[in-house]
Amino acid sequence: MINIVLFGKPGAGKGTQAEFLKEKYQLTHISTGDVFRYNLKNDTHLGKEARVYMDAGDLVPDELTTKMLIDEVNKHPDTNGILFDGYPRTIAQAQALDAFLTTINSSVAATIALEADDEILVARLLERGKTSGRIDDQDEEKIRNRYQEYNDKTAPLMGYYKEQNKFHAVNGIGTIQEITQRLTQVIDQL
Ligand SMILES: Nc1ncnc2c1ncn2[C@@H]1O[C@H](COP(=O)(O)OP(=O)(O)O)[C@@H](O)[C@H]1O
């Protein structure tokens, strides 16, 4: 199994790039944001619990998120590998992911960050909010709160993966194709 963590701020293009990478490397794409939104839409128990956090742009508590993530991974026992998009977002989640992957004799192969300036990203999200229907994309204050959450809780993960020599950064500004190319260069060298 080759497991890759896509890392980056809200709007950095993780979902867009994941679509290409999953085809090219035959990976299972798991986006925690998408799984949460699916549960919200279908008004499941999980969706009801996650809604207040998501609508405010806060992170959903680790325990709930990790449980959901493990359930998703377990749905694909025969996969070539997982492309994690939006998980882990805290050190506790990264530790939980490592612990879980160990139990299935696997590990994170690499973490690849898509980098872009905040101002470009905020503009992208507000644009997406006009059509996506996502409440958290329509209000600049909620968007700023997501960046705050990222800086406080997610940015420290860079150090966590750097210590393990698993951190790679890629310039997230350019055409979709250019960025896919940069990502594949990193993956092909793993
Ligand atoms: N790993 C996670 N831990 C906690 N909450 C999460 C996680 N992944 C997604 N969420 C929740 O879902 C929301 C939307 O996720 P996502 O679409 O990945 O966000 P973004 O576009 O901000 O990167 C987040 O703001 C958060 O409330």
Side-chain angles (χ1 to χ4, degrees):
M1 250 174 114
I2 168 151
N3 301 307
I4 294 175
V5 173
L6 268 185
F7 192 79
K9 292 179 181 171
K14 301 185 293 288
T16 305
Q17 293 300 329
E19 290 303 310
F20 292 97
L21 297 178
K22 74 170 187 198
E23 291 301 324
K24 186 167 164 67
Y25 298 99
Q26 297 294 302
L27 299 174
T28 302
H29 173 211
I30 299 180
S31 156
T32 44
D34 286 351
V35 180
F36 277 134
R37 279 186 287 278
Y38 175 86
N39 279 279
L40 228 68
K41 206 171 96 201
N42 292 287
D43 217 17
T44 65
H45 183 64
L46 176 66
K48 286 190 181 111
E49 283 194 76
R51 182 184 300 275
V52 289
Y53 303 100
M54 292 182 68
D55 284 353
D58 292 336
L59 290 183
V60 178
D62 286 333
E63 206 181 324
L64 194 61
T65 308
T66 297
K67 190 177 170 308
M68 174 196 88
L69 191 271
I70 291 175
D71 284 348
E72 285 301 310
V73 176
N74 282 335
K75 286 180 188 165
H76 306 278
D78 299 320
T79 185
N80 262 343
I82 312 268
L83 188 55
F84 293 98
D85 162 3
Y87 190 99
R89 266 179 150 106
T90 64
I91 297 272
Q93 290 181 12
Q95 289 167 338
L97 180 62
D98 283 346
F100 166 66
L101 289 175
T102 304
T103 68
I104 57 169
N105 286 323
S106 192
S107 62
V108 169
T111 299
I112 315 179
L114 283 171
E115 296 189 328
D117 281 345
D118 283 12
E119 294 315 310
I120 293 178
L121 296 179
V122 172
R124 276 192 197 169
L125 289 186
L126 286 169
E127 202 49 44
R128 180 168 86 183
K130 289 182 194 162
T131 52
S132 71
R134 279 181 60 168
I135 291 176
D136 59 346
D137 280 349
Q138 290 168 24
D139 178 327
E140 187 153 348
E141 207 177 312
K142 287 176 183 159
I143 292 177
R144 299 268 173 209
N145 187 46
R146 276 147 72 200
Y147 286 97
Q148 193 64 45
E149 288 280 81
Y150 178 91
N151 290 331
D152 292 346
K153 298 177 183 163
T154 308
L157 281 178
M158 288 189 250
Y160 181 86
Y161 287 111
K162 274 181 188 162
E163 276 172 19
Q164 301 180 32
N165 285 322
K166 288 182 178 173
F167 187 82
H168 307 261
V170 153
N171 176 3
I173 304 293
T175 65
I176 291 177
Q177 270 182 326
E178 280 165 351
I179 298 165
T180 308
Q181 179 99 45
R182 290 174 199 150
L183 290 165
T184 55
Q185 266 172 14
V186 173
I187 297 172
D188 288 343
Q189 281 173 14
L190 291 177

